[in-house]
Amino acid sequence: MRGPWRGSVLGVMLLVLVGACGDPESAPQPVPPPAPRPMATTHQNAAPSPSPSTSPASSPSPSPFPTPARDLSVVYLGDSLAMENQTVLGQELRRTLGAAYTSAPYSGTTLCDYLEGTGARSLVPDADKAAALVRRERPDVVVLQFWGNAWGYTPCMDGITYDASRERYLDRYAADAARLTEQIAAAGGERRPRIVWVLQGPDPITPERVELVNGLYRAQAAATGDALADAGRVVSGAGARYTWVGHLPCTDDERADPAYCTDPAKGLTALHRDDDYLHFCLAPTTSTPRPCPVRSPGVLRMAREITRAVGAVR
């Protein structure tokens, strides 16, 4: 991406990230970071799935999945994309796999925020670190969805950004992925949970960055026998996995529900708002992070792909 369009997108993206993908209170701050808002952690183990007729994030129609042989427990961690996805993913996991579900996403975070030992330099409180949640919830699967925030928003990244030093950024991200895997495995002990790394969709500002980050996730999963959920593929154009698109052809399920096929005359559905090129929730972003409150095709597509991957590893 080059020229004036890239500059305008970067300006818009920085404003969006300050409001919804950065610090849970407002804009990102230097060390020490502000305390995350308690609402950023949502535990949904016992919550019933909302009725499809009343829930703004409900599915247009069910998808077939095998019934698990035993109870399945899933923990979902991540940044602002996970924040907006968490309710819909919980519905899909419960509906299709009968899974118990706990989500604890925090907007603006990177992998290091979920590492134990980061203390005040992390945007995630100790109780919601990945290892702490594994010890408490004893999940079968831990789903990790991180877009790879690259602008130095989190103190634990020590100011390392993709633009300033691509090699340092990628080396640090790979090291944090390995360390996070080790902490999750150690916390699980004999019941070590399987990790599902969520592959991300196209980055409209630095297209090659997400492809490189996804490569790190692939390598980490292969090294430790973990799994991948290519949620980014279902929000990318056919044959153009890392090219950003704002609209895609409606699926059959989306055509059956006008709330999901946003332009039925053209057979297209919107993935993003015109003022937000990163997030998939079609409601405006707010300074207080929240699960997506409206039906959004991109959110549902990704939630179903993650659910499919979780079902496959069990």
Side-chain angles (χ1 to χ4, degrees):
M1 190 182 307
R2 295 291 184 269
W5 189 76
R6 173 172 177 168
S8 63
V9 172
L10 179 58
V12 171
M13 288 291 292
L14 289 175
L15 289 173
V16 169
L17 288 166
V18 164
C21 198
D23 177 84
E25 278 286 349
S26 55
Q29 300 292 327
V31 179
R37 296 180 65 89
M39 63 78 59
T41 300
T42 304
H43 300 290
Q44 303 184 32
N45 284 7
S49 297
S51 166
S53 63
T54 59
S55 169
S58 61
S59 305
S61 62
S63 298
F65 285 88
T67 300
R70 63 182 182 84
D71 291 342
L72 177 67
S73 176
V74 179
V75 164
Y76 181 45
L77 308 176
D79 53 24
S80 62
L81 295 184
M83 172 65 74
E84 67 183 12
N85 290 349
Q86 62 181 314
T87 297
V88 179
L89 178 60
Q91 292 172 7
E92 290 297 304
L93 288 169
R94 284 188 292 263
R95 179 177 63 82
T96 61
L97 299 177
Y101 174 67
T102 299
S103 63
Y106 284 82
S107 292
T109 53
T110 61
L111 297 173
C112 62
D113 286 293
Y114 282 90
L115 289 170
E116 291 191 317
T118 48
R121 297 172 59 254
S122 169
L123 297 177
V124 176
D126 288 346
D128 286 341
K129 301 292 191 183
L133 283 167
V134 169
R135 286 190 291 267
R136 186 165 71 243
E137 303 295 337
R138 311 303 296 173
D140 301 291
V141 178
V142 175
V143 178
L144 301 174
Q145 180 165 13
F146 292 88
W147 183 77
N149 288 317
W151 291 307
Y153 277 26
T154 55
C156 66
M157 281 294 288
D158 300 317
I160 298 172
T161 65
Y162 183 80
D163 286 342
S165 177
R166 178 182 304 189
E167 287 188 7
R168 288 187 68 203
Y169 169 84
L170 294 172
D171 287 348
R172 175 61 184 274
Y173 227 72
D176 287 345
R179 188 177 171 197
L180 189 60
T181 298
E182 291 170 359
Q183 290 192 357
I184 289 171
E190 294 182 356
R191 284 197 56 194
R192 189 254 203 222
R194 291 288 300 278
I195 297 172
V196 174
W197 293 93
V198 180
L199 302 183
Q200 301 303 291
D203 180 347
I205 300 175
T206 51
E208 75 286 351
R209 187 196 62 80
V210 162
E211 186 170 4
L212 292 169
V213 169
N214 282 350
L216 297 179
Y217 294 157
R218 291 181 186 278
Q220 181 60 50
T224 53
D226 288 305
L228 301 167
D230 196 355
R233 176 185 59 81
V234 298
V235 290
S236 304
R241 174 64 177 81
Y242 290 101
T243 300
W244 185 91
V245 291
H247 296 77
L248 283 176
C250 299
T251 64
D252 290 341
D253 282 347
E254 289 165 353
R255 289 190 188 95
D257 189 333
Y260 286 98
C261 189
T262 58
D263 190 350
K266 295 181 179 179
L268 297 174
T269 195
L271 298 179
H272 307 274
R273 289 174 55 86
D274 291 340
D275 59 355
D276 185 345
Y277 300 100
L278 171 60
H279 298 92
F280 293 88
C281 182
L282 298 184
T285 57
T286 65
S287 60
T288 301
R290 60 179 178 171
C292 186
V294 300
R295 298 186 183 191
S296 299
V299 169
L300 179 59
R301 287 182 181 210
M302 288 190 293
R304 284 188 167 177
E305 188 60 30
I306 293 169
T307 300
R308 190 181 312 279
V310 171
V313 303
R314 299 310 303 167

